Amino acid sequence: MTFGSDRPFDDRPTAPSPLKKKRSPLVPTLIVVAVLVVAFVFFSQVYADILWYDQLGYLEVFLKENGTRIAIFVVAFLVMAASVYLSLRVAYRSRPVYAPDNAMQDNLNRYQEQLEPVRKLLMVGIPIVLGGFAGTAAASAWQTVLLFFNQVPFGQQDPQFGLDYSFYLNTLPFLGFITGFLVSVVLIAGIAGLLTHYLYGGIRLEEKGFFASNAARIHVAVFAALFLVLQGVNYWLDRYSTVQSNSGSWTGALYTDVHAVIPTKAILSVAAIIVAILFVVAAVMNRWRLPLVGTAMLVVTAILAGGVYPWVVQRFQVTPNERNLEADYIERNIGLTRLAYGLEDTEVTSYDATVNAEAGALRQDAETTANIRLLDPNLVSNAFAQLEQFRQYYQFSDTLNVDRYNIDGKVQDTVIAVRELNTGGIPSGWVNEHVLYTHGYGVVAAAGSQVQADGKPSFLLSGIPSTGKLGDDSTYEPRIYFGESSPDYSVVGAPEGASPVEIDRPQSAGADTESRNTFTGEGGPSIGNWFNRLVYALKFQSTDLMLSDTVNSESQILYDRNPRERVEKVAPYLTVDGNPYPAIVDGRVKWIVDAYTTSEHFPYSTPQQLERATQDTQTAEGRAVALPPEDINYIRNAVKATVDAYDGSVDLYAWDDQDPLLQAWQKVFPTTLKPYKDMSAELMAHVRYPEDLFKVQRELLARYHVTDVGRFYENSDAWSVPTDPTLGANTDVKQPAYYLSLKMPGQDTAAFSLTTPFIPFVAPGGEPRNVLYGFLSAEADAGTGKDGVKSEDYGKLRLLELPREITVPGPGQAQNLFNSDTTVSQALNLLRQGASEVINGNLLTLPVGGGILYVQPVYVQSSGASSYPTLRRVLVSFGEEVGFAPTLSEALDQVFQGDSGATTGDQGNVGETPKDAGGPPAEVDNQKTLQDALQAASAAIQEGQAALADGDFAAYGKAQEKLQAALRQAIEAEGKITGETPPAEGQATPAPTETPAP
C-alpha cells in the first residue's frame, strides 16, 4: 500500500535527539586568569610606588594626590554617567506607543529591532563609558581642586574688581573647571536624549515639517535651560577673565574691556538666565514661541554686544586716542607684571661707563678681578675626564657647575663636578649592570680663577681617594649612588658580615684593582622578601630580580635616581629648575635643586612661555634640561630642595615662605616641607640664585625696566638679551647667564652673583645693534655663616643703565674686536699649528674700572684622541683696547697702559711653572720669546704696509724677511711650550692671514 503525503502519521523510526554539548570551562578560565594577571600587574605598579614614597618619607604626597584624583574621578564619573543614563532612560520611557507608517519609520523600526537584544546593555554601557572618559579628564585637574579648597589670600586686590589675587589664581580656575565640566555633561546628556527620541519616533521629520512629541519638547527645554544657565555663569565669569586677557597690545582689561566688554558680558549673563527661565515656563505651559524668540535675540545680542560694539569702541574711540585712554591700564600692566615676576624691587642705577682705559683703573675693583673666572665649565669637562676619570666606568657631566668655597679663609669661585657612573662603560650582563657597578665616586673641584702652568685645571679636590684643600674621603662621603647619570636601578645591601660585592673604586689612582663596598644607607625599598621581588621584577620586566642569588634578605632597590626627577615626584605641584648642582654640605654630597610655584592666572601680568624664555646655549646644546612649554605669568622660587647623593633622601625647604601659593600647598601637604630655618649654615653657603628664574626675569626686564607709561607705550627703550657671540654671527641662541663674584657699582663688597648684559631691542629677523645698554646682576649668595639665616641681600636685582651718548661695545662687538685684531689673529694662527684647535671660552662681562670689561679664556686642544682643552691665553677688551696674553694679569696690563692696578687669581701663575731656587724655568723664557716674536711680526707687517704705500718694494722685501724670521722664532717658542715639533728649517712657514700681497 502506498501512502500519500497527507497520511495522518509517519511510521518511520524517529532519530534520537542529539545530546547538548557541555561548554568547555577553558575559555572562561583563561579570561578570568587574564583579568587577574592584568589586575595584579596594575596592583604591583601601585604597590611599588607606595613602597618608594613610603621609604622616602613622602607617602602623604602619593596618597593625597591619588586620593584626590580618585575622588574627582568618582564624582565626575557619577555626574556624567547618571546624567546620560537618566537622559536615555527618560527619552526611552516617553517614546510614542504608535508611530506613523512611512519609509523613514520603517528604517528606524529595523534599527530598533537590531538594538533591542542589547538595549539594556547599551543603556548602562554608554553612560559608563562616557562617565569613564569624563572622570579621567576631570581627574587631571586635581591641583586646581586642591588649591581652591586650601587657598591662602595674598592680602592685595586687583585694581579693576577689587578682588584678592587668590580669587584669580585659585577660585576662578576652579569655577571655570566646574562650569566647563557641567556644560559638557549637559551637552552630552542632552544629545544622547535627543538621539533616543529620534530613534524611537519622539522626534521625526515629516512631509509637513518637523515633529516633536510633548515629552521630547520638555526634554529639550530642560537641557536648553540648563545650558543657558551655565552659559550665563560663563558670561559672568568672563568679566573677571578680562584682567587675564592677552587679546590686546598689553595683558589685562584695557579701555575697551572695561567700558564695553565687561558691561556687555554682564548683560549677556542676565539675558541668558532670562531665556533659560522662558524655556522652563514653556516646558510647563507648552508655549514655545517666546523662548525661541528669546534665543534668537540672545544670539543677536551676543554678536552685536559681544563682538561688534567692542570693535566699534576700539576702532573709533580707542585707536585714535590710544596713548591717553590706555595709560591707566598700561600702568596696571607694568606694575603687576613686575610684581608677579619679583621685579618690583629692582635697583636701577645709571652707569656712566667710560671707554677709555686708564692706568690703574682697576685698582678699586681688586675683589672682582681676583675672582674673574678663567675656567669655563662648559669646556673643561674633557679635561676633568682625562685627568680624573681613571676608569671607563666613570664620567663627568658635559657641563660642570660653578659654586664657591672657603679656601684658606677666602671665598673663591670653583668649578665642581661629581665622578658619576658611566653606564656605557659597564660590561654587559645583569649582575654587572645592576649589582656590581652601582655608584660613582668622589667630587672633583678646581679653582675658577687660575690654572696650572700648562693650562690644566688647578684642582682643589681630586684623585682617588679624594684629597685637596676642600677635604678628603674622611671629611665627606664620596660615594655617588644618586646622580644625573645613574643606572635605572641597582640592587644593593647585604647582611652584616657578608663580603662586599659592589665595585667601589680603584685602590688608588693608578691601581689595577678595585676595592669593594656594601651600601649601608636607607636608599630604596626593600626587596628582601619574595613578594617585593616579584613586584619589582614586574616593574622592571626582569626575571633576574627573582632568580639571582645576589639578591638577599637585606637587599634594597635604588631607582628614580636623577635628583631633578626625584624632586618632581615628591613635589608634583612644583616646576623644577633645569640645572641641579652638587655641593659638599656637612660631610655629604648634596644635589641642590631649585623649584618654583607658577601660575598663568595672575591679573594684568604679561605671560611668558617657560621653554622659550629659558632657552640659551645650555639648553640648545643639551647641557641643561629645558623647562616645559607652559605659559606662566607668576613665578616664585618657593622651594630649595636637596637630594643626598649617597642615600637619595630628599629634603624640601620652604624658601619663599611668604608665597601664598606655597602656603596653600603647605596646607595640602603639611608634613613634606621644612622651614628654611632648618637649613644649616653650610647648606646656606651653597644655595645660589636659580638660573631659570633669572632667565625669565631678564626676558621681562628687557622691556619692563621702563616704568614710565609714555616711554613704555612708545617702546623706545626696549632691550634684548644678546645672542651667544662664541657661536658665531649666524645664530639666534641667547647668551647664557654667568655666575661671577663681583662688586657692582654701589656695593660695599663683592658678592657671588648671576649676571647678564642687554643690547638694544632686536626685531624678529632684524640685524642686532650690538652695543651695551644694560647690565643685570642678581645677588646669588644666601649664606650668612649662621644656621637658618639667609642674607638680606640674597636675590637683590641690580640693573645698570648705560648712557646712550657713548657707544659701549656689547658682547658681539667685543667678540668681533677679538677676532679682527691683527696681533690676536696671528697668535691664534700660531696656536693652530700641528692641527691644534683653538676654542673660545665663555665671554664674561664685568662692570669694572668705570666701564665694561670683557674677559674670554682661550683654550687649545690638540688633535689626539685623548686630548683635552688647556687654557693658553686670555683675551681682554675695554672700549676699543684689546689685550692678549698667557695671563689675565698681563692681558689687563696691555689694555690699561701697562698697569691695570688689578689683582688677579692667576697673577704669576698661568702659563708659567712655579719658580724654584734654580732660577726661572725655561717656559718663562719661551713665553717671553713668543711674545717678543709676535710683537716683532706685528712691527714687520706695519713696516711692510708703509713701504708698499710709498712704493718702496726693496724696503717691503726686507720687511717680509723680518716677518718670516719673527714667525719662525714664534713657532719654535710655541713648540717648546706645547711640546710639539716646530717646522724644520727650510720647511714652509704659514704666513699670517693679514699679510698684504705686493
Side-chain angles (χ1 to χ4, degrees), residues 685-764:
H686 292 286
V687 165
R688 68 187 191 187
Y689 200 76
E691 291 181 71
D692 284 334
L693 173 60
F694 185 76
K695 288 188 283 188
V696 170
Q697 289 176 321
R698 73 176 181 177
E699 285 294 315
L700 268 298
L701 272 178
R703 187 176 186 192
Y704 283 87
H705 68 278
V706 177
T707 56
D708 178 76
V709 172
R711 288 173 58 216
F712 187 87
Y713 173 81
E714 295 165 0
N715 202 30
S716 58
D717 194 24
W719 300 344
S720 291
V721 177
T723 57
D724 192 340
T726 64
L727 300 181
N730 299 320
T731 180
D732 58 356
V733 180
K734 291 171 185 157
Q735 186 179 33
Y738 293 124
Y739 286 103
L740 300 168
S741 287
L742 79 159
K743 184 173 73 172
M744 290 282 285
Q747 272 187 284
D748 295 330
T749 59
F752 188 67
S753 304
L754 189 54
T755 63
T756 191
F758 291 105
I759 62 174
F761 174 73
V762 182

Side-chain angles (χ1 to χ4, degrees), residues 679-995:
M679 299 172 72
S680 69
E682 192 167 353
L683 176 56
M684 283 281 193
H686 292 286
V687 165
R688 68 187 191 187
Y689 200 76
E691 291 181 71
D692 284 334
L693 173 60
F694 185 76
K695 288 188 283 188
V696 170
Q697 289 176 321
R698 73 176 181 177
E699 285 294 315
L700 268 298
L701 272 178
R703 187 176 186 192
Y704 283 87
H705 68 278
V706 177
T707 56
D708 178 76
V709 172
R711 288 173 58 216
F712 187 87
Y713 173 81
E714 295 165 0
N715 202 30
S716 58
D717 194 24
W719 300 344
S720 291
V721 177
T723 57
D724 192 340
T726 64
L727 300 181
N730 299 320
T731 180
D732 58 356
V733 180
K734 291 171 185 157
Q735 186 179 33
Y738 293 124
Y739 286 103
L740 300 168
S741 287
L742 79 159
K743 184 173 73 172
M744 290 282 285
Q747 272 187 284
D748 295 330
T749 59
F752 188 67
S753 304
L754 189 54
T755 63
T756 191
F758 291 105
I759 62 174
F761 174 73
V762 182
E767 189 69 25
R769 182 168 167 256
N770 220 299
V771 296
L772 203 67
Y773 269 20
F775 181 85
L776 176 68
S777 79
E779 190 154 331
D781 195 347
T784 60
K786 299 179 181 178
D787 294 342
V789 179
K790 58 182 174 182
S791 170
E792 292 182 357
D793 289 331
Y794 170 83
K796 180 72 175 177
L797 295 176
R798 295 181 174 90
L799 179 63
L800 302 181
E801 288 198 19
L802 278 71
R804 303 297 185 265
E805 61 272 12
I806 298 177
T807 300
V808 179
Q813 279 194 15
Q815 189 70 61
N816 289 336
L817 197 61
F818 293 153
N819 296 342
S820 61
D821 186 270
T822 304
T823 303
V824 171
S825 61
Q826 290 174 358
L828 293 180
N829 282 339
L830 291 173
L831 292 174
R832 293 188 181 98
Q833 297 301 314
S836 294
E837 179 184 6
V838 175
I839 306 171
N840 290 328
N842 44 208
L843 182 62
L844 305 180
T845 308
L846 300 104
V848 295
I852 297 296
L853 176 72
Y854 291 98
V855 178
Q856 184 175 56
V858 178
Y859 292 82
V860 176
Q861 182 171 355
S862 65
S863 57
S866 60
S867 63
Y868 55 88
T870 56
L871 181 63
R872 283 301 184 188
R873 297 288 183 274
V874 181
L875 279 165
V876 169
S877 74
F878 191 97
E880 297 295 321
E881 299 295 326
V882 173
F884 184 63
T887 68
L888 174 61
S889 178
E890 291 177 70
L892 291 174
D893 286 341
Q894 291 176 10
V895 169
F896 291 92
Q897 302 178 14
D899 179 19
S900 68
T903 301
T904 63
D906 72 338
Q907 215 154 6
N909 183 40
V910 176
E912 299 181 3
T913 55
K915 296 182 179 181
D916 54 28
E923 184 152 352
V924 174
D925 293 335
N926 293 331
Q927 292 287 353
K928 187 175 185 307
T929 300
L930 176 61
Q931 289 303 306
D932 292 343
L934 291 176
Q935 291 175 5
S938 179
I941 290 176
Q942 294 175 5
E943 184 179 334
Q945 289 175 335
L948 279 178
D950 296 336
D952 189 347
F953 291 102
Y956 175 77
K958 293 180 180 179
Q960 288 298 297
E961 292 176 1
K962 293 179 182 180
L963 175 61
Q964 293 298 323
L967 288 177
R968 281 195 298 271
Q969 188 177 18
I971 292 171
E972 289 174 2
E974 182 68 21
K976 292 177 182 178
I977 293 171
T978 61
E980 297 173 357
T981 303
E985 185 69 28
Q987 186 175 340
T989 302
T993 56
E994 299 294 328
T995 303

Side-chain angles (χ1 to χ4, degrees), residues 20-28:
K20 290 184 178 180
K21 293 183 179 179
K22 293 183 179 180
R23 291 184 178 180
S24 171
L26 179 60
V27 173

Side-chain angles (χ1 to χ4, degrees), residues 498-823:
S499 299
V501 297
E502 298 174 46
I503 293 177
D504 191 31
R505 61 171 176 81
Q507 294 282 2
S508 62
D512 294 330
T513 57
E514 278 79 14
S515 62
R516 303 277 173 157
N517 177 69
T518 298
F519 179 81
T520 58
E522 293 293 331
S526 169
I527 53 172
N529 61 71
W530 69 268
F531 185 76
N532 285 10
R533 290 173 69 174
L534 176 60
V535 165
Y536 281 102
L538 290 172
K539 179 178 179 62
F540 292 107
Q541 300 179 13
S542 172
T543 56
D544 297 293
L545 267 174
M546 284 296 297
L547 304 177
S548 176
D549 58 5
T550 57
V551 183
N552 56 70
S553 61
E554 299 298 321
S555 289
Q556 303 172 41
I557 185 166
L558 313 182
Y559 64 101
D560 288 338
R561 299 160 75 175
N562 184 291
R564 186 176 185 274
E565 296 171 0
R566 207 164 174 84
V567 173
E568 285 179 331
K569 282 192 70 171
V570 301
Y573 50 90
L574 298 174
T575 299
V576 180
D577 192 89
N579 190 20
Y581 59 99
I584 300 176
V585 176
D586 301 321
R588 310 282 284 199
V589 178
K590 299 276 189 180
W591 291 95
I592 301 177
V593 187
D594 286 283
Y596 313 107
T597 49
T598 61
S599 176
E600 59 177 330
H601 304 295
F602 201 85
Y604 279 100
S605 177
T606 298
Q608 291 283 292
Q609 195 209 52
L610 277 179
E611 183 181 41
R612 188 183 306 118
T614 57
Q615 188 176 42
D616 61 8
T617 307
Q618 304 289 72
T619 57
E621 296 182 356
R623 296 170 179 166
V625 176
L627 294 190
E630 297 174 356
D631 287 336
I632 65 160
N633 66 1
Y634 174 90
I635 185 170
R636 289 290 183 271
N637 180 204
V639 171
K640 299 286 187 183
T642 63
V643 178
D644 192 293
Y646 181 75
D647 62 18
S649 57
V650 179
D651 290 314
L652 304 177
Y653 296 96
W655 185 250
D656 187 352
D657 53 6
Q658 301 304 307
D659 174 31
L661 282 185
L662 181 64
Q663 292 174 351
W665 287 117
Q666 285 179 293
K667 290 173 65 177
V668 176
F669 304 113
T671 66
T672 60
L673 286 158
K674 300 178 180 180
Y676 75 84
K677 297 184 183 301
D678 289 353
M679 299 172 72
S680 69
E682 192 167 353
L683 176 56
M684 283 281 193
H686 292 286
V687 165
R688 68 187 191 187
Y689 200 76
E691 291 181 71
D692 284 334
L693 173 60
F694 185 76
K695 288 188 283 188
V696 170
Q697 289 176 321
R698 73 176 181 177
E699 285 294 315
L700 268 298
L701 272 178
R703 187 176 186 192
Y704 283 87
H705 68 278
V706 177
T707 56
D708 178 76
V709 172
R711 288 173 58 216
F712 187 87
Y713 173 81
E714 295 165 0
N715 202 30
S716 58
D717 194 24
W719 300 344
S720 291
V721 177
T723 57
D724 192 340
T726 64
L727 300 181
N730 299 320
T731 180
D732 58 356
V733 180
K734 291 171 185 157
Q735 186 179 33
Y738 293 124
Y739 286 103
L740 300 168
S741 287
L742 79 159
K743 184 173 73 172
M744 290 282 285
Q747 272 187 284
D748 295 330
T749 59
F752 188 67
S753 304
L754 189 54
T755 63
T756 191
F758 291 105
I759 62 174
F761 174 73
V762 182
E767 189 69 25
R769 182 168 167 256
N770 220 299
V771 296
L772 203 67
Y773 269 20
F775 181 85
L776 176 68
S777 79
E779 190 154 331
D781 195 347
T784 60
K786 299 179 181 178
D787 294 342
V789 179
K790 58 182 174 182
S791 170
E792 292 182 357
D793 289 331
Y794 170 83
K796 180 72 175 177
L797 295 176
R798 295 181 174 90
L799 179 63
L800 302 181
E801 288 198 19
L802 278 71
R804 303 297 185 265
E805 61 272 12
I806 298 177
T807 300
V808 179
Q813 279 194 15
Q815 189 70 61
N816 289 336
L817 197 61
F818 293 153
N819 296 342
S820 61
D821 186 270
T822 304
T823 303

Side-chain angles (χ1 to χ4, degrees), residues 80-323:
M80 177 64 81
S83 300
V84 173
Y85 176 79
L86 289 175
S87 183
L88 292 172
R89 186 71 177 171
V90 169
Y92 176 76
R93 297 191 64 176
S94 61
R95 68 193 184 281
V97 178
Y98 300 104
D101 188 12
N102 56 44
M104 182 176 293
Q105 189 60 42
D106 288 341
N107 290 331
L108 291 176
N109 290 336
R110 283 195 294 271
Y111 291 140
Q112 293 171 19
E113 291 175 1
Q114 293 173 359
L115 289 175
E116 188 59 29
V118 293
R119 176 181 55 80
K120 292 183 178 180
L121 178 62
L122 292 176
M123 292 281 284
V124 175
I126 291 175
I128 288 175
V129 171
L130 293 175
F133 283 121
T136 301
S140 63
W142 67 276
Q143 294 189 27
T144 301
V145 173
L146 286 176
L147 281 177
F148 171 74
F149 287 107
N150 296 276
Q151 62 184 284
V152 174
F154 278 68
Q156 296 174 284
Q157 292 76 39
D158 80 282
Q160 179 59 40
F161 295 102
L163 297 172
D164 191 274
Y165 296 144
S166 64
F167 171 81
Y168 298 98
L169 271 66
N170 304 316
T171 302
L172 191 58
F174 176 77
L175 296 178
F177 160 67
I178 294 297
T179 54
F181 173 73
L182 291 178
V183 166
S184 299
V185 170
V186 169
L187 287 176
I188 292 173
I191 292 172
L194 290 177
L195 290 176
T196 305
H197 278 296
Y198 176 76
L199 183 62
Y200 286 94
I203 296 175
R204 56 184 180 269
L205 297 175
E206 297 180 342
E207 293 180 1
K208 297 180 180 180
F210 177 81
F211 169 81
S213 66
N214 191 48
R217 292 178 183 180
I218 294 174
H219 201 134
V220 170
V222 170
F223 278 96
L226 290 173
F227 176 78
L228 287 168
V229 167
L230 292 172
Q231 195 60 39
V233 174
N234 270 333
Y235 280 133
W236 190 260
L237 295 179
D238 284 346
R239 296 166 61 253
Y240 303 111
S241 298
T242 55
V243 299
Q244 303 162 340
S245 171
N246 293 301
S247 58
S249 300
W250 304 274
T251 299
L254 305 180
Y255 183 91
T256 300
D257 296 308
V258 172
H259 294 86
V261 175
I262 292 175
T264 55
K265 292 289 185 182
I267 293 171
L268 289 171
S269 177
V270 174
I273 300 297
I274 292 173
V275 176
I277 295 172
L278 293 178
F279 269 101
V280 174
V281 172
V284 174
M285 301 182 64
N286 200 23
R287 296 182 179 179
W288 299 94
R289 178 168 299 182
L290 200 56
L292 294 177
V293 172
T295 301
M297 291 298 296
L298 180 62
V299 172
V300 172
T301 304
I303 294 173
L304 294 178
V308 176
Y309 175 58
W311 179 84
V312 171
V313 171
Q314 178 68 32
R315 177 63 185 85
F316 296 102
Q317 186 174 356
V318 176
T319 300
N321 307 285
E322 188 175 57
R323 178 167 180 167

